Amino acid sequence: MCGVILLAGPVAAERLPECLERLQHRGPDASDTWHNGDLAMGFARLAINDSTPAGGQPFIYGDFVSAVNGEIFNSVPLRSRYTLELSSDNDCHVIPALLQRQGLNAVTELDGFFAGVIYDQKNQQVYCLRDPLGKKPLFVGRSGSEVFVSSELKALDRVDEFQEVPSGVCQFNLFTGELTPVVTNTLAAQAGITMPSAEKLSHLRHLLTNAVNKRLPVVQEPFGVFLSGGLDSSIVAALVHAQRQNVVYYTLSSGDAADEYYVRLLADTLGLSALRVVPLPAADELDVLIRSLVYTTESFNPSLISNGLCTYLLAQAARKDGLKVVLSGEGADELFGGYHYFSADGPWYETRKQLLADLRNTELRRVDLTCMAHGIEVRCPFMDRDLVTWAMGLSYDDLYRRSATEKQNKLILRAAMEAYLPDEIIWRKKVSCDVGSGMRQRVVGHLRKQHDSEREALKAIWQEQFAGRYPSQCGHPYFSAYPVFDDLIDRRGAVHR
């Protein structure tokens, strides 16, 4: 929802304005800075909670100066429980107040997504913090004479070295750029789910409903939902529709794409009145758009680009409609096993664990960067803290059914929502957004006109844009890797195999 930048070094204050300007897409509503000698901090704000100047950042509370990008869903109960006196309703202001009052370990009490930096003026220490799933990006590194902390690497005109901030709290050395973990904040699977089947389904519906409800903006604020006609986004839409009517539903279609049929089926079933069908780009628009996506995502991975184009265009439409918040179904396939049809003795648990760990650099990265390019905050109910810890404890039989005559996945999720959605959607096979919308076919055709593969074509664009900016970092896996699927991605065609 915002952009964070911190520089430390002899020309930090001089460099800060240009770096902050490069993050303005993340926070188009306001920007502010704070300086102390060789230390300079900046914040680009997307104002959602408390849009008054009192809600701005960098924010000073006691000895702490903070700049945090995120959304804290339990900020109100935390303020009450610890009697935190704050002069604004900005949910992120609770973070420095809580940590100063209770210590850095209190970061584990935050329910939401966040990434940011806190400077302890008394002890002259800088701390970086990030949520357990890494939904919001944050990097540290060195750029010339300065070390930096930034929401996006492209805020810097040159990056000599960098690393991602891990989940939890790390101390950041302002001289060496070294990160030292101080507090671990990860989500562990809930052990011993021994509920009867009917109780499991009921509890899953309860968790899903709570996950959606806590992500709804204040009642008077209009917002959106991204739809593909698949199971996951349809679940989010159904649960949102049960609570709110001031919602716009967005889908992408070429006019005869498979996704549009299922989206219209869902809209008719639920009675969704505000449905926006965003057209696919024309052939002569693709080159500029693909170049924009490479810059936006800093990636030359074909999947991030073709699927990223989908979310980029949907977010663009939402922004034109004046929205700031959108809900989506990201994370459900990773959590409930939607990509594979494993047998019981297959590596289903290990694969799911890796997919969840990689999310911060794959689908959550795609969603954050493509949507924040238009100042749109995307909230993902399937990435809810309580839902993730519970669902990670599910067994193989909760997720898969595989025999000589049948293969199925996401069983418990489909069963839990049968009463809410049409059977055609409940049992629809996984189709990625770029395929279902028709986007991948256009992108593949365009990129292979002059290159043997999508990756080669995209890498050439990436090198034009970034090779000079990251001269010693071009081989870093951050720019190209999708670990579980890279082999398939490099062999993919215009449709699913």
Side-chain angles (χ1 to χ4, degrees):
M1 57 181 281
C2 302
V4 173
I5 181 74
L6 177 142
L7 296 174
V11 291
E14 181 181 327
R15 295 183 67 185
L16 186 70
E18 186 175 0
C19 293
L20 187 56
E21 178 64 29
R22 293 195 188 103
L23 292 176
Q24 208 63 51
H25 55 277
R26 297 188 67 89
D29 294 333
S31 62
D32 206 350
T33 60
W34 176 89
H35 304 82
N36 180 15
D38 288 347
L39 189 65
M41 188 185 300
F43 191 78
R45 187 182 185 201
L46 179 65
I48 295 175
N49 296 319
D50 192 347
S51 59
T52 70
Q57 298 186 67
F59 172 66
I60 300 175
Y61 185 93
D63 296 325
F64 285 176
V65 184
S66 70
V68 181
N69 165 33
E71 192 78 26
I72 309 303
F73 301 123
N74 62 339
S75 63
V76 173
L78 285 173
R79 289 177 65 163
S80 176
R81 184 185 313 154
Y82 295 110
T83 60
L84 303 175
E85 296 183 5
L86 295 167
S87 58
S88 82
D89 292 326
N90 186 324
D91 54 303
C92 284
H93 284 185
V94 78
I95 296 176
L98 175 67
L99 300 190
Q100 177 139 313
R101 175 74 63 84
Q102 298 300 119
L104 297 175
N105 282 303
V107 72
T108 61
E109 297 191 48
L110 300 172
D111 181 9
F113 52 90
F114 52 89
V117 60
I118 291 177
Y119 176 55
D120 180 346
Q121 299 182 84
K122 180 180 179 180
N123 298 303
Q124 296 185 332
Q125 298 287 348
V126 170
Y127 298 99
C128 298
L129 53 150
R130 199 173 183 196
D131 67 77
L133 291 168
K135 186 174 184 293
K136 285 295 173 183
L138 196 66
F139 303 89
V140 301
R142 180 170 293 279
S143 173
S145 59
E146 277 64 54
V147 294
F148 68 84
V149 181
S150 181
S151 295
E152 297 184 17
L153 289 174
K154 56 182 173 283
L156 289 304
D157 54 6
R158 178 186 176 96
V159 175
D160 299 305
E161 57 186 69
F162 76 93
Q163 67 182 104
E164 293 178 79
V165 174
S167 296
V169 181
C170 292
Q171 186 175 313
F172 181 57
N173 189 306
L174 293 177
F175 300 100
T176 66
E178 182 181 1
L179 275 180
T180 302
V182 177
V183 178
T184 300
N185 187 18
T186 56
L187 299 181
Q190 182 178 322
I193 300 178
T194 56
M195 301 174 179
S197 179
E199 190 177 338
K200 273 187 183 179
L201 299 182
S202 176
H203 189 65
L204 177 53
R205 285 191 292 270
H206 169 74
L207 289 171
L208 287 167
T209 301
N210 281 352
V212 167
N213 288 350
K214 71 174 68 169
R215 285 163 175 78
L216 300 178
V218 293
V219 173
Q220 67 270 25
E221 186 77 24
F223 64 100
V225 174
F226 288 166
L227 286 178
S228 68
L231 176 67
D232 311 328
S233 63
S234 297
I235 288 172
V236 173
L239 295 175
V240 165
H241 182 66
Q243 299 295 326
R244 298 283 181 87
Q245 299 303 308
N246 58 336
V247 186
V248 185
Y249 298 85
Y250 295 88
T251 192
L252 191 69
S253 178
S254 61
D256 59 354
D259 278 0
E260 187 174 347
Y261 166 79
Y262 291 97
V263 167
R264 293 199 179 279
L265 173 63
L266 179 71
D268 291 343
T269 301
L270 298 180
L272 307 180
S273 55
L275 177 64
R276 304 275 196 278
V277 179
V278 179
L280 262 63
D284 60 0
E285 299 175 301
L286 272 177
D287 190 67
V288 170
L289 276 171
I290 289 171
R291 288 178 176 275
S292 294
L293 259 291
V294 173
Y295 178 79
T296 295
T297 62
E298 296 186 298
S299 174
F300 54 90
N301 186 286
S303 180
L304 263 64
I305 299 304
S306 59
N307 281 294
L309 275 168
C310 298
T311 45
Y312 184 89
L313 292 171
L314 293 175
Q316 184 179 65
R319 188 64 184 180
K320 286 180 179 177
D321 287 343
L323 304 187
K324 293 184 177 182
V325 175
V326 170
L327 274 66
S328 77
E330 263 71 33
D333 284 311
E334 289 79 3
L335 189 57
F336 290 96
Y339 291 121
H340 300 91
Y341 298 95
F342 285 114
S343 57
D345 58 355
W348 65 274
Y349 185 83
E350 295 78 9
T351 301
R352 182 172 62 154
K353 187 176 180 179
Q354 183 176 354
L355 284 167
L356 285 168
D358 292 341
L359 263 172
R360 63 187 63 204
N361 285 332
T362 56
E363 305 305 336
L364 293 181
R365 167 189 180 179
R366 166 183 60 82
V367 168
D368 177 84
L369 294 177
T370 58
C371 293
M372 291 307 300
H374 300 292
I376 293 292
E377 176 185 299
V378 174
R379 301 178 181 177
C380 305
F382 286 103
M383 294 288 90
D384 182 73
R385 177 180 66 174
D386 297 334
L387 176 60
V388 170
T389 55
W390 185 80
M392 277 297 293
L394 294 171
S395 69
Y396 171 87
D397 290 334
D398 292 318
L399 304 176
Y400 300 100
R401 184 164 56 237
R402 182 74 183 257
S403 69
T405 58
E406 182 184 17
K407 60 179 184 179
Q408 192 54 266
N409 58 21
K410 299 167 83 168
L411 289 176
I412 191 170
L413 188 60
R414 298 178 193 276
M417 299 303 296
E418 274 190 301
Y420 293 75
L421 299 170
D423 283 349
E424 283 183 83
I425 293 176
I426 285 289
W427 298 105
R428 188 185 180 193
K429 301 292 185 183
K430 169 67 183 176
V431 176
S432 63
C433 182
D434 62 344
V435 171
S437 65
M439 179 68 79
R440 187 193 293 185
Q441 185 175 27
R442 297 191 182 194
V443 170
V444 169
H446 178 81
L447 292 176
R448 289 186 178 173
K449 286 179 182 178
Q450 296 179 332
H451 291 81
D452 291 336
S453 73
E454 292 176 83
R455 195 182 293 267
E456 284 182 15
L458 293 169
K459 187 173 183 179
I461 296 170
W462 186 95
Q463 288 175 325
E464 289 176 17
Q465 296 178 343
F466 293 117
R469 188 177 287 191
Y470 310 141
S472 61
Q473 301 293 317
C474 294
H476 198 290
Y478 173 76
F479 300 119
S480 63
Y482 200 133
V484 171
F485 292 122
D486 265 334
D487 287 344
L488 289 174
I489 288 169
D490 285 334
R491 292 184 283 114
R492 74 181 194 169
V495 297
H496 286 300
R497 292 182 183 276

